[in-house]
Every structure is written in C-alpha cells, then in structure tokens.
Amino acid sequence: MKTTYHQKEIIRLLSYKFNNNRLLEEALTHSSASKYNKNNNERLEFLGDRVLGLVIADELLKLNPNSSEGQIATYYNYLVKKETCALIAKEIGLEGLLTLGKSVSRTNDRQKDKILGNAVEALIGAIFLDAGFKRSRELILKVWRKHIDIVRDIEAHAKTALQELLQSRGQQPPKYLQISRTGPDHDPNFCVQVVLGSGLKAIGNGSTKRMAETKAAEQILEKIKNIND
C-alpha cells in the first residue's frame, strides 16, 4: 500500500514506521469522511483510550510511590482528558494531517479539539495493534513526558517553596481555601485562595484543586518577592 504524504509526516514526527499502513490510514480518518468509503478512527480511539489510561496510570504509580490514590487520580485525570490529548496532537503536528469531511470546517474550536484528542487516542490504538503494548507504551511516554513531569512535580514547586519560606521565618503554614468550582465535570475550573498568618492573600485558578493551589502559591511568592524588593 502506497504511503501518503500525511502518513509519511506522522512516521517522521513519531519516528515510528507502521508495518500496516492501513491502521495508520484508519487512525487519521474522522467519521465525517466516512462518505468516502473509508473506515473511520472511532474503534481505534476506543482502544487507544484504554491503552493510554493503562500506561499513564502505571507510570504515575511508579513516579509517585508515596502519593495517595486521590492524588494519583488528580494527576491521571489531567493527563488523559481530551483537552490534554488535543494539546498533544497539536504539539506533535497532528493538526492538518487528518482526513476530515467538509462539515468539520463549520465546527467550533471545542469540537475541533475533541476531534484532535480522539485522533491521538486512535493513533495510540493503531500503534498498539501494529507493534504491541511495549512499543505503544514507549511512544506514549515519549510524547507525554513533558506533561507527566509537570504533573509529577506540581506539588514540589511553588507550594513546597512557600512552605519552606514560612518555616524558615518561624511563621505558620499557609491555608488554602477553595473559593469556587465552575465548569462541567469533564473540564472543571477551580479557584483557590491562599492566606498567610500575616494576612497576605492570593488567588489561583486551575483545572484541578491542586493546580489552583499551586498557582495561588506562585502568586503569593511573587507578592512576597515584591515586598522584599
């Protein structure tokens, strides 16, 4: 089977050559293009979603041996949600390489992000069928590495720095108060306020409560820095 330009681009971007190009073609074909008598990527997306979940869950457990199930779940939900998958798709250059129907051009950005997120999962499913779990795991961790590192280290950044700063000054630890939670369940937005014993306050927002706390800690560290300067 002849390799198309789009398929060659995916091979180049992932540094992975498919044994079965039909799987790659299917992974890149959205259901809106089904009228062209091509198989679409919905079944591969279903499979890839499960492979992605297993790989991410396993990696997070290994990287966070002392974290609770609740903390792992927070990290996991961020890494596998459609918005993150869509961001990954853009980062690897998948946008513009899909076979889409004309109706897709009339969809909004949110729907387009869902299409991109599904396509990434379909690509994972195709690689799993083409080369097995070990190879698909290697590629997932390679592509997701930056995001895994961000989530893995999220507690160790601003929140830890703030805690250590206050301890060094003999002050009470900060208090984090959730102000609000808005948005749908699959894409929430948390607003958290951090309050110091001195009365200094700051607010942070994020897609998880932990991320919002980290943002609030970053903001208050910046305020402390400005006061000291």
Side-chain angles (χ1 to χ4, degrees), residues 115-148:
I115 290 171
L116 282 172
N118 288 343
V120 163
E121 292 175 340
L123 199 55
I124 291 169
I127 293 169
F128 173 78
L129 293 178
D130 192 63
F133 180 75
K134 182 179 178 181
R135 190 70 177 103
S136 55
R137 180 182 184 276
E138 290 172 353
L139 283 168
I140 289 170
L141 294 180
K142 174 184 174 182
V143 173
W144 256 262
R145 178 53 58 196
K146 179 179 72 174
H147 296 273
I148 291 173

Side-chain angles (χ1 to χ4, degrees), residues 72-84:
I72 295 293
T74 297
Y75 300 166
Y76 173 87
N77 290 335
Y78 168 76
L79 289 168
V80 302
K81 71 177 184 176
K82 279 290 185 283
E83 291 76 12
T84 302

Side-chain angles (χ1 to χ4, degrees), residues 6-14 24 28 94 97:
H6 286 178
Q7 291 170 354
K8 288 179 180 177
E9 276 297 287
I10 291 297
I11 291 170
R12 182 184 67 80
L13 292 166
L14 294 180
L24 176 55
L28 297 177
L94 188 59
L97 299 180

